[in-house]
Amino acid sequence: MKKIIIMPLLILLIVGCQHIQEPLSHSTIEWIDILMLNDIQYERHYPKPMDEDSPVIIERGQEIGQVMYKMEDRTGIHHQMQNGHATYLEKGTAIYEIKGYPTTLLVAANDAIYVARSNESAKTIEEIYPMRQLVKNIYIESTEDGRRLHTFTQSAKERFLNAFYSLELEDVEPVEQEGLRIFLEIELQNGVSFRQLYWSESNVFHNGAVGNDEIQKVIMDELSQVE
């Protein structure tokens, strides 16, 4: 099976947005690099520049689908994404499983990795991110440039994850997003990472997960250690 080495790019994704971005003009739409398969939307993973000494290495498994429709330059901002659609991948591009990781969490296409960002059937956060035993580290990132400011202790990581997996998903309105805006980076064992945006006072995440007392306590305790 093919092994893929993902080298870092000088790209920084600051926003953990859940929607395709608004058009920049009447003729130009700025797309996020996403694809949809089996009612799950996946967003492309871009390695951080600071990871250049430890590139992400994955082993590609079986083909699980193909891109049926490329959205770029063909659809408007209000287009409803469907299974088999992708923003940048060409029609006919094969989509593969990644060995050792659930396809509901990670897939590969065109030698790039895509991480789940939403799941239409999910009721809890674990159904979007089925990653038990797969998390290496959790970091607090700078909200200005995405730098890693602090690494959770292993005990704090386990406490966070045990509470995180059970969180239920709800529709969170912007007015409910209050307090400090905190960037949390979750790094998997293979080096792939993704961001969770958290509001401290509202105790909610950008994807609609509503926190509990344990989540809030762990995050704020770790945040207090950032220098």
Side-chain angles (χ1 to χ4, degrees):
M1 296 295 178
K2 182 177 180 180
K3 288 190 175 180
I4 303 173
I5 300 177
I6 310 295
M7 298 301 294
L9 302 175
L10 291 176
I11 297 176
L12 183 63
L13 300 181
I14 292 295
V15 180
C17 183
Q18 287 296 293
H19 303 284
I20 294 172
Q21 296 178 13
E22 292 295 325
L24 299 178
S25 69
H26 292 296
S27 60
T28 302
I29 297 175
E30 183 182 356
W31 299 103
I32 300 170
D33 192 348
I34 57 178
L35 63 88
M36 185 169 179
L37 186 69
N38 298 326
D39 296 330
I40 300 172
Q41 284 191 17
Y42 302 84
E43 184 172 343
R44 182 171 177 174
H45 160 75
Y46 290 95
K48 290 175 171 288
M50 67 277 290
D51 294 338
E52 60 186 5
D53 293 330
S54 54
V56 175
I57 301 177
I58 63 168
E59 187 171 358
R60 199 172 70 185
Q62 296 181 340
E63 180 178 328
I64 58 174
Q66 289 188 356
V67 174
M68 306 301 294
Y69 183 79
K70 180 183 177 183
M71 294 168 59
E72 184 190 23
D73 300 330
R74 297 187 184 182
T75 55
I77 191 66
H78 300 296
H79 174 78
Q80 183 67 41
M81 198 171 201
Q82 301 176 30
N83 289 322
H85 288 195
T87 50
Y88 288 118
L89 296 173
E90 298 292 340
K91 180 180 178 180
T93 300
I95 303 168
Y96 297 90
E97 68 178 358
I98 294 175
K99 285 194 170 183
Y101 292 80
T103 55
T104 50
L105 177 63
L106 301 178
V107 296
N110 269 7
D111 292 347
I113 301 169
Y114 289 77
V115 182
R117 63 183 232 144
S118 68
N119 184 331
E120 292 183 1
S121 63
K123 299 293 191 296
T124 67
I125 199 69
E126 186 173 18
E127 293 177 61
I128 299 180
Y129 306 116
M131 54 188 184
R132 289 185 184 269
Q133 311 303 318
L134 298 176
V135 177
K136 181 179 180 181
N137 284 309
I138 300 176
Y139 306 94
I140 293 176
E141 297 180 318
S142 166
T143 56
E144 296 181 355
D145 57 16
R147 288 179 299 110
R148 292 172 178 169
L149 302 177
H150 173 72
T151 305
F152 277 36
T153 65
Q154 287 302 299
S155 61
K157 181 190 81 170
E158 295 304 322
R159 286 175 58 204
F160 174 90
L161 292 173
N162 287 336
F164 187 67
Y165 291 138
S166 64
L167 299 184
E168 295 184 352
L169 301 173
E170 298 181 11
D171 291 329
V172 177
E173 298 295 332
V175 293
E176 298 173 334
Q177 300 169 346
E178 299 177 347
L180 289 174
R181 195 169 60 122
I182 301 169
F183 285 175
L184 301 175
E185 178 192 352
I186 297 179
E187 180 188 19
L188 303 178
Q189 297 291 351
N190 61 6
V192 173
S193 64
F194 57 93
R195 173 176 294 146
Q196 295 291 289
L197 176 54
Y198 173 79
W199 285 268
S200 61
E201 187 173 329
S202 301
N203 198 15
V204 297
F205 293 84
H206 72 277
N207 46 34
V210 179
N212 51 33
D213 290 343
E214 178 71 354
I215 280 283
Q216 191 174 50
K217 179 172 174 46
V218 173
I219 293 175
M220 299 313 292
D221 284 349
E222 293 301 300
L223 182 65
S224 69
Q225 299 180 47
V226 176
E227 296 181 356

